Amino acid sequence: MSMDLKIKISKKKTNIIYFIIAFFMVSGFLINDLRFPRFIIYIADILNIWLFINAFHYYEKKKGYVCDREVIKPLTIIALFLMLSIISLIYNTSSIVTYLWGFRNYFRFFMFFFSCAVYITKNDFDKIVKMLYYLILPNIVVASYQYFVLKADGDHTGGLFGFVSGSSASLNIYLIIMCIYFALKYLRNECKLSQFAYIVSAAFYLAVIGELKVFFIEFIIIIALAFLLSKKASFKSVILVAGASFILIYANTSLNSIHEYTFRSDKSGGILSITNLMEYLSRDSGYVGDGDLNRFTAVQILHKMFFSNDLIGSLFGFGLGSADYSSSISFLQSQFYLNYNSLHYQWFSSSFLFIELGYIGVVLYLLFFILILCKGIKCFTRDNDNRFYGAFIIIMIPMCFVNFIYNISLRTESSGYLIFCILSVMYVLQKENNVFTNEKVGL
């Protein structure tokens, strides 16, 4: 039986969510460029835990009527993931210290996902994207300075995400979200062509100087899916596809020109050709070409190296945190990391998770995203008022799968909090439709 309940959402809790998102959009720049102490990121950990405890308490108090009750499905997967981590810890007799560090690195995002589902609305989702929109120009300015003045290579050109190795992975997530949102808005006549062109041009510029080769493939997928999910082909759709194709071709030329201008033509020349790109992504010599792991064969190689005759080990891994590390706290560096970090397994979420929690861990982790995708499809096909958000998730989840294999962005705070907040939108839509009703609750 459906119920109409009115709920009051705590503005203070919502503002903390805004703060955490905004903070991690610039934390890399604060720490790596402006030399703020790294411990400031742990302030967000404290806020995140406090937020989760309050969200859980509120959820129980209101008997679940604070968000879509189907949130229980991904929460069940999270619970199974937790159980697996404990079983693997006991089986491997792993270090409790590294386990707790690994727990923090995964479950902080699950906790934030739940808090967002409880405390934000779809209006908050739009406000968060609006905040991201206003950060485009600062990102362009900072990234240009890093690239042309500091002579950073692409992997270090992260804009506000910082002048540090791997920061471009978080930049990639940021660009994905912006392109999905505004492509769908443009096709719904809710965004001007000039605004969409600004987004795409900025994204391509940042992708070129950040050497985000995968972004150009992601962009093609985004445009194709946005086109397919639009109600019908239109002149705007034709402009979108034609314009995107032109910009993609232009970006290929620009990539070589910029690197030649900055004396780095040997880095990425011609990488956007299909032949060179596929060779780069699948070469046997590994990611950096010195015998380390390749992102597409990493799990297969790690299985042969460590679990070829160990079925249980391949299913459960070495234990959560057993391959983890901290770049600033030495006692949090696991023995596995000290022995095998040269393989660069820690650069890809897929290989990192496989080593620690095996095939079962990988399946459970991906199932979390699959359930959200199913929710997005259901929303898109059955809820005309929220088709936009369903379409957004239908495009976003494949991007998560790509980045699960391609980089470590699902595990890092600078992009992880943003991703899991964005995914929670599927479970907040009913709050705008007044599906929930009950007495007002002041928090």
Side-chain angles (χ1 to χ4, degrees), residues 241-418:
V241 174
S245 301
F246 172 78
I247 294 175
L248 188 62
I249 295 171
Y250 181 75
N252 190 17
T253 305
S254 300
L255 183 64
N256 293 331
S257 299
I258 289 178
H259 287 308
E260 286 174 5
Y261 173 77
T262 55
F263 307 104
R264 283 172 276 191
S265 58
D266 61 317
K267 290 275 298 181
S268 303
I271 198 68
L272 292 185
S273 71
I274 297 298
T275 302
N276 288 347
L277 183 58
M278 293 310 298
E279 181 182 353
Y280 166 76
L281 294 177
S282 60
R283 62 190 180 189
D284 294 333
S285 55
Y287 177 74
V288 299
D290 64 356
D292 59 342
L293 295 174
N294 176 280
R295 48 174 58 91
F296 287 125
T297 58
V299 171
Q300 177 185 353
I301 293 173
L302 288 172
H303 175 90
K304 290 179 179 179
M305 289 180 65
F306 300 105
F307 304 118
S308 59
N309 297 309
D310 184 2
L311 175 61
I312 300 299
S314 67
L315 292 176
F316 294 95
F318 288 135
L320 188 65
S322 62
D324 219 325
Y325 72 102
S326 168
S327 58
S328 58
I329 306 175
S330 59
F331 71 84
L332 293 177
Q333 294 180 351
S334 65
Q335 192 58 49
F336 187 93
Y337 172 78
L338 294 175
N339 292 339
Y340 298 106
N341 69 82
S342 60
L343 292 175
H344 297 146
Y345 69 88
Q346 70 274 18
W347 290 359
F348 317 120
S349 296
S350 57
S351 56
F352 210 143
L353 180 57
F354 173 70
I355 279 293
E356 294 194 331
L357 291 178
Y359 287 117
I360 297 178
V362 171
V363 170
L364 286 176
Y365 189 77
L366 294 180
L367 189 56
F368 171 84
F369 295 93
I370 291 171
L371 287 175
I372 297 175
L373 174 60
C374 292
K375 180 66 174 175
I377 294 172
K378 181 179 178 181
C379 175
F380 180 78
T381 55
R382 299 184 186 179
D383 186 353
N384 287 330
D385 292 334
N386 293 304
R387 282 173 62 89
F388 171 83
Y389 301 98
F392 185 97
I393 292 298
I394 290 172
I395 303 175
M396 185 66 199
I397 293 297
M399 298 298 101
C400 291
F401 292 154
V402 169
N403 284 272
F404 176 70
I405 296 172
Y406 196 82
N407 56 41
I408 201 67
S409 56
L410 292 178
R411 270 184 54 101
T412 58
E413 59 265 358
S414 53
S415 50
Y417 281 104
L418 178 59

Side-chain angles (χ1 to χ4, degrees), residues 12-306:
K12 180 171 67 175
K13 310 297 194 308
T14 304
N15 287 338
I16 290 175
I17 290 173
Y18 285 166
F19 170 78
I20 291 175
I21 294 295
F23 173 73
F24 282 114
M25 286 294 299
V26 300
S27 63
F29 177 71
L30 295 177
I31 294 170
N32 299 297
D33 295 71
L34 300 184
R35 304 303 178 187
F36 276 58
R38 184 168 177 78
F39 75 79
I40 63 173
I41 66 173
Y42 302 118
I43 297 174
D45 282 355
I46 297 172
L47 289 175
N48 188 27
I49 294 171
W50 179 82
L51 197 64
F52 173 76
I53 292 172
N54 280 272
F56 184 79
H57 173 71
Y58 187 39
Y59 182 84
E60 288 293 309
K61 182 177 181 180
K62 303 305 294 179
K63 303 185 186 303
Y65 288 103
V66 290
C67 59
D68 192 315
R69 294 181 76 92
E70 287 192 22
V71 76
I72 196 67
K73 295 179 180 179
L75 292 182
T76 300
I77 298 301
I78 294 171
L80 292 174
F81 192 78
L82 174 60
M83 290 174 59
L84 173 66
S85 73
I86 296 173
I87 292 170
S88 187
L89 169 70
I90 296 172
Y91 175 78
N92 290 287
T93 61
S94 305
S95 164
I96 190 65
V97 174
T98 55
Y99 171 82
L100 291 174
W101 183 244
F103 180 92
R104 175 255 185 192
N105 288 334
Y106 279 105
F107 285 88
R108 55 182 170 169
F109 301 134
F110 292 142
M111 292 163 61
F112 193 63
F113 167 83
F114 178 71
S115 298
C116 290
V118 171
Y119 285 126
I120 71 170
T121 67
K122 66 180 180 182
N123 289 334
D124 294 313
F125 173 87
D126 292 326
K127 289 177 182 178
I128 288 170
V129 175
K130 186 176 182 180
M131 176 181 68
L132 302 183
Y133 176 81
Y134 288 124
L135 291 176
I136 290 177
L137 187 57
N139 263 301
I140 290 174
V141 172
V142 174
S144 298
Y145 175 77
Q146 291 166 343
Y147 189 81
F148 291 106
V149 179
L150 300 180
K151 304 297 182 183
D153 61 28
D155 196 44
H156 288 73
T157 308
L160 292 177
F161 293 101
F163 177 53
V164 63
S165 178
S167 58
S168 60
S170 298
L171 178 63
N172 180 51
I173 294 296
Y174 170 64
L175 299 181
I176 286 171
I177 292 170
M178 298 305 291
C179 286
I180 295 174
Y181 187 89
F182 284 96
L184 290 172
K185 284 289 185 182
Y186 174 70
L187 289 172
R188 290 168 58 90
N189 297 315
E190 297 174 6
C191 166
K192 294 180 180 179
L193 176 60
S194 58
Q195 187 179 31
F196 178 63
Y198 168 65
I199 295 293
V200 174
S201 299
F204 271 72
Y205 172 74
L206 290 168
V208 166
I209 66 173
E211 296 177 20
L212 291 173
K213 309 166 191 71
V214 71
F215 175 76
F216 301 104
I217 297 176
E218 293 166 335
F219 184 76
I220 294 172
I221 297 172
I222 289 169
I223 297 303
L225 289 177
F227 180 81
L228 291 173
L229 294 172
S230 60
K231 286 188 175 181
K232 58 182 179 179
S234 63
F235 181 64
K236 278 198 167 189
S237 302
V238 174
I239 291 177
L240 180 67
V241 174
S245 301
F246 172 78
I247 294 175
L248 188 62
I249 295 171
Y250 181 75
N252 190 17
T253 305
S254 300
L255 183 64
N256 293 331
S257 299
I258 289 178
H259 287 308
E260 286 174 5
Y261 173 77
T262 55
F263 307 104
R264 283 172 276 191
S265 58
D266 61 317
K267 290 275 298 181
S268 303
I271 198 68
L272 292 185
S273 71
I274 297 298
T275 302
N276 288 347
L277 183 58
M278 293 310 298
E279 181 182 353
Y280 166 76
L281 294 177
S282 60
R283 62 190 180 189
D284 294 333
S285 55
Y287 177 74
V288 299
D290 64 356
D292 59 342
L293 295 174
N294 176 280
R295 48 174 58 91
F296 287 125
T297 58
V299 171
Q300 177 185 353
I301 293 173
L302 288 172
H303 175 90
K304 290 179 179 179
M305 289 180 65
F306 300 105

